[in-house]
Amino acid sequence: MTSTRAFWEKHGEATTTAICAVFVTCGFVVERNVGPSWLSTALFLSGYIAGGYRQAIEGTTKLFVERELDVDLLMVVAAIGAAGIGYWFDGALLIFIFALSGALEGYASARTQRDIESLIALNPEEAQLVVATGETRVAIETLRVGDVVVIRPGERVPADGRVAEGSSLVDQASITGEAAPVSKRVGDEVFAGTINGQGGLRVTVSKPAAETVLARIIEMVREAQERRPAAQLFIEKFERIYANVVVLGAVLFVVVPIFVLKWTFDAAWYRAMVFLVVASPCALAASMMPALLSALSNGARNGVLFKGSTFVEALGKVRAVAFDKTGTLTTGRLEVVQTVAADGSDPVALLARSAAIEAMSEHPIGHAIVAAARRQGALIETVRDFQATIGVGAQAELDGVRWHVGKAELFASVPPQLAVGRDRFERAGDTVVLVGDVTARGLIVLRDTVRSNAIEAVSELRRLGIEHVAILTGDNQGAAQIVANAVGADRVHANLLPADKVRIVEEMMARFGSVAVVGDGVNDAPALAIATVGIAMGAGGTDVALDTADVVLTADDIGRIPYAIELGRRTLRIVKQNVVIAVSVMVLLVCADVLGRISLPAGVVGHEGSTLLVTLSGLRLLFQLRSAKVPGIPPALRARTDAVS
Ligand code: ADP
Ligand code: MG
């Protein structure tokens, strides 16, 4: 029984449209072959009911409950009005084409809905929790931070967390889009919804079920569907007012010709019904949403999540792009290449002390320092009162002394030999942080790698005519310049605090109008927020960046940005075309009607034809334009789609 319901929910509109088509065709055949008129009338009537009952019920409820006139109801009224003066076929044709365009629009939103469902299917439901007596199966909602769960080979990871025991290869395609499984050992991060390979793992849960990366992505896609862009809201409001104008016009159309021009009632009524049809703004209403929903769906299948359809359009208008460096243009997986202690003390001890502070940090530099200290077998102590200064560094209390890691301004003095060493490394393109208490006592040199597709991403942006590509970083000029040279950026802004990033983005917006900012860190969040479009790295990005951005790259792939801009542009173009088609067809048909030069079937075909045309035109965005390098459906949705087909 449930399967019947599922079928009905999915294909209900298409089915009733098909039934309507059959009845109308039969009615037409009977009528033409001079069959009994009661039979053709009965057939047409059945067609009316099959194709129009839904809108009739919805429209009347809306009229009486919300006191709002629905355009759909006008169509039903026009069809009944036509039937009333004997034009059964004309009305039936109207009902059929009208039902067909409704079914097509439903198809676009069903497609986006399906994309969301396939993501939800990835969401695990249960976890194997470690308890005092052994293991027990629990719902993931009951997991708490700090719980330990067991993940056996082939199982889906139930929560975001860190590996506490064991090692394995994990297929993270659903979250990051990486095709190859990633090796996970003790201390590594795993994500809910990814699939464990051959090893057994014990994982310490680090986030409640509602806050996992996957849960956030699902939430974002849901919201995106519901948020309607301002232009669409305007059209909807306009439509409501306009519907009343159309009814008034139709009434005038009956009254004026009868009393002024002395037409017969039937003739005037017929013109009025034609007017009701051709003047309705159905095509205008269908100009936007099918296109935008299709674009959202296309994006989701290509690793680009828009938090609302407004941002599809906004991205289409972007003329300049500002990239964060660390973690965005570079992998953010830094390596410590050298530790230098100023006073000849032990560099390993210095590294261990830095790691103790950075253990609390979310910054890529922090992760690198902790990893390096672990590799050297250093003992990482627990610190008190950790404080991060975004874009500058971090500090904490260790054995009663306040230690700092980060830029020079954190220290009262920097010994000349350290300053000289730092400048030399920085000129060579490395990232350097100082370590010390009041005085800097040493420095740590780190190296990052430019993402393999960063160069291509920037050159693609240029091909699309993006006028300006800038790099915004809190890191030093030398390191920034090396990356800029590698990818071919126009400008480098180094040594920036979060507020400086905002200022530069504002300057860019004043100069170029629409600016996209791409970033991953806490320090990028303010800039992401004020940019025309903020784009965040999905898996590698911090939670704040993810929350602030308008667009999320689920696969952390900046190579998808040019594709996303192209998608935005194409969407803009199609919506514009649609509005022009809708309005001009409407004006043309109304003029023809006023001049009495159009029959009801012709009006119906013209009007509904334009509605169908703009809907179909919007749906093109579902299929076109896959980013060239992405093999069709992205991994996030592949597992599910395979299972279905
Ligand atoms: P980006 O803009 O390139 O992502 P950030 O603004 O996050 O860089 O950091 C800028 C600089 O601030 C770093 O290059 C580093 O010198 C310092 N810094 C920030 N956070 C830390 C930290 N946790 N530990 C050490 N240094 C840090
Ligand atoms: Mg960054």
Side-chain angles (χ1 to χ4, degrees), residues 313-331:
E313 296 190 295
L315 202 54
K317 293 182 186 151
V318 158
R319 289 173 56 209
V321 180
F323 285 98
D324 164 55
K325 180 181 74 80
T326 323
T328 303
L329 283 177
T330 69
T331 61

Side-chain angles (χ1 to χ4, degrees), residues 31 44 48 79-92 266 270 600-601:
E31 196 182 55
F44 281 136
Y48 277 45
I80 296 173
I85 51 169
Y87 292 92
W88 279 96
F89 172 70
D90 308 42
D266 274 15
Y270 186 86
L600 187 54

Side-chain angles (χ1 to χ4, degrees), residues 138-491:
V138 298
I140 56 154
E141 289 79 18
T142 65
L143 288 179
R144 267 177 296 185
V145 173
D147 281 350
V148 176
V149 294
V150 178
I151 304 159
R152 304 212 148 72
E155 284 181 347
R156 207 173 272 286
V157 175
D160 284 10
R162 275 183 196 283
V163 177
E165 211 183 296
S167 66
S168 186
L169 287 173
V170 174
D171 176 0
Q172 306 207 124
S174 59
I175 301 284
T176 65
E178 289 162 286
V182 182
S183 147
K184 298 284 178 184
R185 310 159 183 285
V186 174
D188 287 344
E189 221 179 348
V190 292
F191 301 106
T194 57
I195 299 163
N196 185 21
Q198 301 300 306
L201 295 174
R202 278 178 179 241
V203 166
T204 313
V205 176
S206 64
K207 277 182 196 157
E211 289 168 23
T212 62
V213 174
L214 182 63
R216 278 155 182 276
I217 291 179
I218 291 172
E219 187 54 36
M220 269 184 271
V221 182
R222 268 214 192 104
E223 278 173 14
Q225 254 203 321
E226 281 156 19
R227 264 198 233 174
R228 306 193 139 211
Q232 173 68 17
L233 292 177
F234 171 77
I235 289 189
E236 280 168 18
K237 195 168 148 206
F238 170 77
E239 196 185 321
R240 280 195 296 273
I241 299 167
Y242 186 78
N244 293 304
V245 175
V246 173
V247 172
L248 194 73
V251 172
L252 285 180
F253 243 102
V254 182
V255 177
V256 175
I258 290 180
F259 291 100
V260 181
L261 306 172
K262 308 285 175 218
W263 288 13
T264 63
F265 173 79
D266 274 15
W269 182 258
Y270 186 86
R271 284 283 134 232
M273 289 307 115
V274 176
F275 179 77
L276 208 51
V277 172
V278 300
S280 290
C282 298
L284 193 59
S287 291
M288 217 165 190
M289 259 358 242
L292 291 177
L293 286 174
S294 301
L296 282 184
S297 166
N298 193 324
R301 277 176 290 128
N302 284 295
V304 182
L305 287 186
F306 294 93
K307 288 201 195 165
S309 37
T310 334
F311 306 119
V312 180
E313 296 190 295
L315 202 54
K317 293 182 186 151
V318 158
R319 289 173 56 209
V321 180
F323 285 98
D324 164 55
K325 180 181 74 80
T326 323
T328 303
L329 283 177
T330 69
T331 61
R333 285 192 280 268
L334 291 94
E335 282 292 331
V336 171
V337 287
Q338 200 170 342
T339 309
V340 179
D343 41 16
S345 60
D346 179 17
V348 178
L350 200 67
L351 187 65
R353 207 164 288 151
S354 314
I357 300 165
E358 298 281 16
M360 286 291 289
S361 168
E362 95 302 335
H363 202 276
I365 293 181
H367 293 314
I369 292 177
V370 173
R374 283 225 179 89
R375 226 175 297 119
Q376 307 241 355
L379 178 73
I380 299 173
E381 290 178 68
T382 347
V383 295
R384 295 187 44 197
D385 191 24
F386 169 88
Q387 288 289 319
T389 314
I390 307 302
V392 179
Q395 52 170 300
E397 205 179 296
L398 195 63
D399 303 326
V401 181
R402 199 141 263 288
W403 281 82
H404 302 267
V405 189
K407 293 189 168 177
E409 54 255 48
L410 293 167
F411 308 93
S413 65
V414 179
Q417 73 191 96
L418 281 184
V420 169
R422 178 197 55 193
D423 293 348
R424 186 163 50 83
F425 284 116
E426 287 190 349
R427 267 197 305 278
D430 289 330
T431 299
V432 183
V433 294
L434 297 166
V435 197
D437 40 22
V438 186
T439 322
R441 306 266 172 209
L443 52 83
I444 300 173
V445 183
L446 301 109
R447 198 163 292 164
D448 204 350
T449 25
V450 175
R451 283 184 196 270
S452 56
N453 52 4
I455 300 164
E456 210 180 314
V458 174
S459 69
E460 278 287 293
L461 286 178
R462 297 221 182 277
R463 193 181 57 77
L464 291 178
I466 295 295
E467 292 163 43
H468 189 82
V469 176
I471 296 182
L472 312 182
T473 182
D475 204 350
N476 71 74
Q477 183 72 35
Q481 196 59 54
I482 289 226
V483 176
N485 294 346
V487 303
D490 297 304
R491 282 264 338 239

